[in-house]
Amino acid sequence: MTRTTPRRPVSVAAVFPELAPYRGRTTRLHPRPGRPGRHDSHVGGPMLWPYGEPWPICREPHRRETERAERFIADPPDVPAVLREHELPEPCVLHPEEVDTYPWAEDDTLPASLIALIDAWDDAQVAEHGPDAPCYQYDLSIPPGWRVGGFPSWASTGPMHIGCGTCATPMQLLLTAEGSEMDGGSHSWVPLEDRDPALRGMASIRGGHSVAQPTRLRFGRDRDLHVFTCPADPRHTPRWVLS
């Protein structure tokens, strides 16, 4: 099934014509629990691994999970490979959709005069419509959830400069993985196919966890996992950032 992002609560082009030069595109992946095949684009489930390429192995030192048990019983119980549910992704089918996106508005991500204009508009919306009023950061800028390309979100850390460790070139966002597809502030992005057309707002969303947290994964303390690549040379080592 396709997934269709609803129209934004207000037209970005009409409210902020100054943002036109900064508009970008991102591909929302819309993972949903399913039964993906090995050759399908998916999160979790079967993997198509290159022939002859060794499986990656973590070589970092770890505290032994059986250490405490070994102090009290001669034969400690088997320790599962995955200790927490959110470390193993739910097999999900992807439903890609391209949408417009605009930069996170903080620090030097946009000109200071434009960020001031956005902040003033947000304040005016709250004053006129209350706490449920649309705001730039959560309703007009960057959609939540898994996405390819576009702009990084910086809700937890604030904007960061991500430079290539090999050549110092500013890196570009390749992929964002996020544990939640929506929250109380970003529910306006939930696709039409996951809504009850007879209801409005949060009450209209159907599907429960399969829509809100389809992959079951969590990154850090519910942060976004951004993967960056070097535009000067794709062979340079990618970087990942939790924000």
Side-chain angles (χ1 to χ4, degrees):
M1 179 187 293
T2 59
R3 289 297 189 275
T4 309
T5 297
R7 295 179 61 181
R8 297 299 77 220
V10 297
S11 168
V12 178
V15 177
F16 302 113
E18 301 88 348
L19 277 172
Y22 303 96
R23 181 176 60 193
R25 298 285 282 178
T26 186
T27 300
R28 303 189 68 190
L29 297 181
H30 297 304
R32 295 294 184 272
R35 300 181 63 183
R38 190 178 299 274
H39 295 274
D40 297 324
S41 295
H42 59 281
V43 174
M47 292 190 69
L48 186 64
W49 194 256
Y51 178 77
E53 183 170 327
W55 190 260
I57 298 175
C58 179
R59 302 187 185 279
E60 295 295 320
H62 292 281
R63 176 180 176 274
R64 296 185 63 186
E65 296 296 340
T66 58
E67 180 181 319
R68 183 175 182 275
E70 286 176 342
R71 297 195 193 120
F72 305 99
I73 65 181
D75 297 314
D78 291 335
V79 178
V82 177
L83 298 178
R84 301 172 183 85
E85 185 181 61
H86 67 262
E87 294 176 346
L88 181 67
E90 177 79 18
C92 287
V93 179
L94 304 184
H95 306 84
E97 177 202 20
E98 270 200 331
V99 298
D100 287 340
T101 183
Y102 295 88
W104 187 264
E106 187 179 358
D107 294 347
D108 59 353
T109 58
L110 289 169
S113 58
L114 186 48
I115 292 179
L117 185 66
I118 291 171
D119 289 344
W121 182 83
D122 282 346
D123 291 342
Q125 293 298 301
V126 172
E128 183 176 353
H129 303 290
D132 294 329
C135 72
Y136 173 81
Q137 218 79 295
Y138 293 102
D139 293 296
L140 310 181
S141 174
I142 301 172
W146 290 62
R147 53 194 182 273
V148 175
F151 303 104
S153 51
W154 301 110
S156 298
T157 62
M160 301 169 61
H161 172 75
I162 309 299
C164 176
T166 303
C167 66
T169 300
M171 302 187 88
Q172 293 180 342
L173 180 64
L174 172 66
L175 171 72
T176 296
E178 187 176 349
S180 176
E181 291 285 300
M182 53 153 281
D183 56 30
S186 60
H187 63 83
S188 70
W189 293 95
V190 174
L192 297 175
E193 292 79 4
D194 297 316
R195 292 180 178 273
D196 183 341
L199 300 174
R200 298 176 61 85
M202 287 283 289
S204 70
I205 299 169
R206 302 178 294 190
H209 283 289
S210 67
V211 171
Q213 295 177 313
T215 66
R216 296 193 309 185
L217 294 175
R218 292 174 57 193
F219 303 97
R221 295 184 176 180
D222 293 320
R223 295 184 177 184
D224 294 353
L225 174 65
H226 298 309
V227 180
F228 293 86
T229 57
C230 178
D233 191 334
R235 294 171 298 180
H236 291 172
T237 304
R239 292 186 60 183
W240 61 268
V241 175
L242 286 172
S243 70

